[in-house]
Structure formats: C-alpha cells, structure tokens
C-alpha cells in the first residue's frame, strides 16, 4: 500500500476575524484530503498575535521562527487589533516571517470571478484577470531609516527604499518566467520620473531582463497612471510586477474591482523551497465585524487553493477555485459583504459541498 503523504501546516489564525476565516480554510483542506485519499494534513495552531502581545509583550515568542521552520507551509488569518500599534503587530509577526523565510514573492491574483460584484460599469468576468507579483522582501518596506531628534523641533525622519540588484532581478525574473509559461504579457509598475534612484534602477533592470525574454510582451506604467488604467481599462493588465509599496496599494485597488476584500487572496512564496511559504487572505482583522461570524471566508479559501497548488495539488487548486466561482454564481449562500445573509461557516460549508457533493 502506498504511504500517505502528510503535509505539515502551521496555522496562525491571528486576530479579529482571522480565526473565523482560518477555521474555514482548515475545513476545506481536510475535506479535500479526505476526498483525495493520497495525502493528509497535520495542522499545528500557534496562538500568536495581539492578544499574545498584550500578555507577553511579544507578537510571537523568541523562538517563533525556529518553531515554524520545519513546516511545509503556513496558513495565516490576519494580525492587528486596536490597542496594539499597527507598525508593531505587522512588523513583528507578518513581516518578520516574510523576511526570515525569504518569502520574496507575493502572488496576488486579481481576477473577477463570475458572480462576484464589480463596481466598474460594463466590465465582464474575464476582463479582469491579473496576477500581481509583488516584491516582498525589501523595497519601501525594508524597515531601513532613522528618526533623529525625536520630539524636538529639529525632528527628522528618513525612510529608505532599498532596491538591491539581487532582489530586483529575482522578483522580475519570477514574473518573466510566469508570463512566459502562461503566454501572458508582463507589466512593470514604476515611478521613474520622481524616484530618481530606486525606480530608475527598477526600470533599468526591467529593460535588461526584457532582452532575455524576447517572447514576453512587456509594458511599463507609472504607478499613478496604472491606478487610473486599472479602473478605466483593467483588461490591459495580465502579469504585473511591482515593488513592495506599489504592489500593496494596487492590489487593494485590485481587490476593490474584483469582488472586495473578502475575496482577495495572497501567497508569500519562497520559490526555492528552502523555507515554508505562507498563504493568507490580504484583508486585515476587520475589528468592525470581528466576533460576529459574518466575515467572508472566500479569500482564505482562495489562499488555501494557492497552498494546494504550492504543495503539488494543482488539480485540486483549480477545482476549489471553480467551486468558489459556482457558489458566487448561485448566490444563495453569501456573506453580508457580498449582499447575502449567510454566516462565515455557512459559506465555508457551502463551498465544500459544491466541491464535494455528498
Ligand atoms: P481590514 O481589511 O481589516 O478591513 C477593511 C474593511 O473591509 C472593513 O470594513 C472590514 O469589515 C472589511 N473586511 C475585511 N475583510 C473582510 C472579510 N473577510 N469579510 C467581510 N468584510 C471584510 O483593514 P483595516 O480595517 O484597515 O485594518 C484592521 C486591522 O487589520 C489593522 O490592525 C491592520 O493593521 C490589520 N491588517 C492586517 C493585515 C494582515 O494581517 N495581513 C492586512 C491589513 C490590515
Ligand atoms: Mg495591504
């Protein structure tokens, strides 16, 4: 008898609606494993986040990174809650994991599924289908800078953008490879007119790499123009490569035009597999609706689909996304953000039933 493959998954449900949506991710993954029969999941949950911080003064224990190191992947809900400064909660948990595990690729699909609400007039599903490749390890979020003479009239703050050749080349190469594999165009997001060091360099590296991938159609837009075009003509964008900050902002815009924050998924990849990759909905902890059981779990389920693909189960990944799309189209079981009245777990269950009819 063939031995079952076990995927060891670390769960970091986090704060607010994080635990509510992660529970649905676990339900789905367990159901998939049971139906497949060839693999299963071994989940270990870590109670880290803002409550942990208020109790211990730390977002995660000193050896947190060491404890996560041996896992095959991480599923994260959301971190951050009123009472703990956001720059602490974000930097000491999420950014720390992304950084220490060299998860330098942030993959954010911006795809308008059939049945998902779109605020743009006259835009059909199929006309919004982008894959954002956001640099995830340096750039504007490198955490480099200084705060001098704090609290005095001479106060001065400096926040550096850090763009290494190594970091810039590897993210662009990842995007070029993806675009080539999928026969899609690649758009680079820049601001070379105003950021006269970082983005001039970014543009230069993009041009150098373009020469190595003559079969990939390329475009380059300034970030402000890109924001306008994503609304006016989203069909222009296929694979998109952006720095940490620009990618962060444009993918929230992407979420807004493709069903809302409750549908937007993200994967933080260490493509070489030296460290665990992390999968998470891109929304935050939504304190305004936390604890009410009405958070939309679909972003987390989409992230779970990305995790399945990463773990070598591409067919299941596709089937999960198809099931999400059919549930959106049916429209009988949706959470309030999608205009329905279903609870988080009702929608989570509904997707599992759609995927695996009994
Ligand atoms: P948010 O994403 O938590 O909420 C923005 C709005 O979207 C709220 O009205 C919320 O109710 C709604 N929303 C978000 N996710 C939803 C879902 N699954 N279903 C239905 N509605 C949903 O962003 P906000 O309010 O700016 O941040 C709240 C906290 O989350 C802050 O502490 C922030 O630092 C943190 N945060 C954490 C992130 C992460 O862990 N990756 C990302 C963004 C924010
Ligand atoms: Mg963001």
């Amino acid at each position: 008898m063939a031995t079952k493959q076990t995927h060891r998954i670390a769960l970091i449900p986090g704060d607010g609606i994080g635990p509510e949506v992660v529970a649905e991710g676990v339900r789905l993954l367990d159901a998939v494993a049971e139906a497949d029969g060839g693999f299963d999941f071994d989940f270990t949950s870590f109670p880290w986040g803002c409550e942990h911080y208020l109790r211990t003064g730390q977002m995660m224990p000193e050896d947190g990174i060491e404890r996560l190191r041996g896992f095959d992947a991480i599923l994260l809900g959301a971190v951050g809650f009123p009472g703990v400064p956001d720059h602490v909660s974000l930097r000491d948990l999420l950014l720390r994991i992304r950084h220490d595990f060299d998860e330098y690729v942030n993959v954010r699909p911006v795809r308008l599924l059939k049945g998902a609400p779109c605020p743009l007039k006259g835009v059909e599903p199929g006309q919004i289908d982008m894959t954002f490749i956001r640099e995830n390890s340096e750039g504007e979020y490198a955490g480099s800078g200084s705060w001098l003479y704090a609290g005095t009239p001479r106060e001065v703050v400096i926040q550096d953008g850090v763009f290494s050749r190594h970091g810039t080349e590897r993210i662009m190469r990842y995007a070029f490879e993806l675009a080539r594999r999928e026969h899609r165009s690649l758009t680079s997001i820049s601001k070379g007119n105003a950021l006269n060091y970082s983005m001039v360099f970014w543009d230069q590296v993009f041009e150098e790499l373009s020469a190595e991938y003559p079969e990939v159609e390329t475009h380059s837009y300034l970030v402000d123009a890109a924001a306008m075009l994503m609304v006016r003509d989203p069909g222009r964008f296929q694979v998109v490569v952006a720095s940490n900050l620009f990618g962060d902002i444009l993918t929230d815009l992407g979420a807004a035009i493709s069903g809302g924050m409750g549908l937007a998924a993200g994967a933080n990849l260490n493509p070489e597999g030296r460290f665990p990759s992390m999968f998470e909905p891109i929304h935050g902890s939504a304190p305004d609706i936390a604890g009410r059981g009405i958070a939309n779990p679909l972003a987390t389920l989409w992230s779970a689909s990305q995790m399945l693909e990463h773990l070598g189960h591409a067919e299941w990944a596709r089937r999960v996304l198809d099931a999400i799309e059919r549930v959106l189209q049916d429209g009988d079981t949706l959470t309030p953000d999608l205009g329905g009245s279903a609870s988080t777990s009702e929608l989570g269950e509904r997707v599992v039933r759609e995927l695996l009819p009994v």
Side-chain angles (χ1 to χ4, degrees):
M1 205 179 83
T3 47
K4 239 186 203 187
Q5 182 186 19
T6 296
H7 300 300
R8 297 187 60 231
I9 309 298
L11 302 174
I12 307 179
D15 306 308
I17 63 170
E20 303 170 34
V21 292
V22 163
E24 299 310 314
V26 169
R27 183 209 304 272
L28 177 96
L29 290 169
D30 271 339
V32 165
E34 201 189 317
D36 184 276
F39 62 91
D40 59 12
F41 290 100
D42 178 6
F43 295 107
T44 306
S45 191
F46 296 93
W48 302 339
C50 289
E51 260 176 56
H52 190 270
Y53 179 89
L54 293 175
R55 231 176 25 248
T56 65
Q58 290 178 314
M59 290 296 293
M60 66 174 156
E62 212 59 69
D63 65 348
I65 290 293
E66 283 318 307
R67 288 165 67 181
L68 293 173
R69 195 178 292 273
F71 286 89
D72 296 318
I74 303 166
L75 182 64
L76 180 134
V79 286
F81 218 69
V84 179
D86 281 344
H87 68 272
V88 171
S89 55
L90 188 66
R91 186 156 292 284
D92 293 357
L93 186 62
L94 199 56
L95 293 188
R96 174 106 192 273
I97 295 171
R98 286 177 182 169
H99 177 265
D100 286 16
F101 288 154
D102 205 18
E103 295 168 347
Y104 63 89
V105 179
N106 190 206
V107 182
R108 295 188 166 189
V110 173
R111 186 180 316 153
L112 181 63
L113 299 180
K114 295 188 192 108
C118 178
L120 304 181
K121 243 193 290 180
V123 170
E124 300 291 324
Q127 292 179 306
I128 300 182
D129 189 1
M130 320 176 191
T131 306
F132 264 81
I133 304 299
R134 166 186 171 195
E135 206 293 320
N136 216 23
S137 66
E138 51 175 42
E140 307 87 344
Y141 294 2
S144 165
S146 45
W147 195 316
L148 303 174
Y149 312 117
T152 76
R154 296 171 63 200
E155 194 162 26
V156 49
V157 296
I158 297 169
Q159 185 92 45
D160 300 317
V162 176
F163 291 79
S164 68
R165 178 164 283 278
H166 173 71
T168 307
E169 274 188 14
R170 68 179 179 176
I171 194 65
M172 288 185 179
R173 205 170 280 287
Y174 186 93
F176 270 107
E177 294 285 336
L178 179 70
R180 179 162 71 182
R181 208 164 51 238
E182 298 188 343
H183 305 289
R184 298 161 83 203
S185 68
L186 176 61
T187 297
S188 163
I189 304 298
S190 179
K191 191 67 193 176
N193 56 346
L195 298 172
N196 58 329
Y197 298 111
S198 59
M199 282 295 138
V200 169
F201 175 70
W202 175 274
D203 290 344
Q204 185 189 316
V205 176
F206 188 69
E207 228 178 280
E208 286 169 18
L209 284 184
S210 300
E212 281 185 46
Y213 295 86
E215 61 280 64
V216 177
E217 177 189 328
T218 56
H219 306 274
S220 177
Y221 296 131
L222 299 177
V223 62
D224 39 359
M228 184 268 292
L229 286 170
M230 277 178 68
V231 172
R232 297 266 307 258
D233 188 11
R236 272 179 200 244
F237 298 87
Q238 297 183 352
V239 180
V240 184
V241 65
S243 69
N244 217 331
L245 170 69
F246 294 168
D248 188 6
I249 297 171
L250 289 183
T251 52
D252 265 31
L253 174 58
I257 61 171
S258 59
M261 294 304 282
L263 262 168
N268 304 275
L269 303 181
N270 173 248
E272 294 77 21
R274 285 192 298 136
F275 305 105
S277 292
M278 178 164 65
F279 301 82
E280 47 160 344
I282 80 170
H283 62 71
S285 57
D288 52 336
I289 57 165
R292 291 167 52 197
I294 56 166
N296 183 347
L298 295 181
T300 305
L301 301 189
W302 195 331
S303 305
S305 155
Q306 289 182 301
M307 178 190 281
L308 284 164
E309 182 171 353
H310 178 74
L311 295 172
H313 308 296
E315 178 58 22
W316 277 113
R318 195 188 54 74
R319 288 175 63 183
V320 167
L321 204 55
D322 287 349
I324 291 174
E325 190 160 42
R326 287 198 302 275
V327 168
L328 282 167
Q329 276 180 285
D330 281 358
D332 56 10
T333 311
L334 299 176
T335 42
D337 59 304
L338 295 173
S341 58
S343 69
T344 306
S345 59
E346 283 166 349
L347 179 48
E349 272 171 28
R350 177 76 182 78
V351 173
V352 171
R353 245 187 303 125
E354 186 66 34
L355 177 67
L356 304 162
V358 277

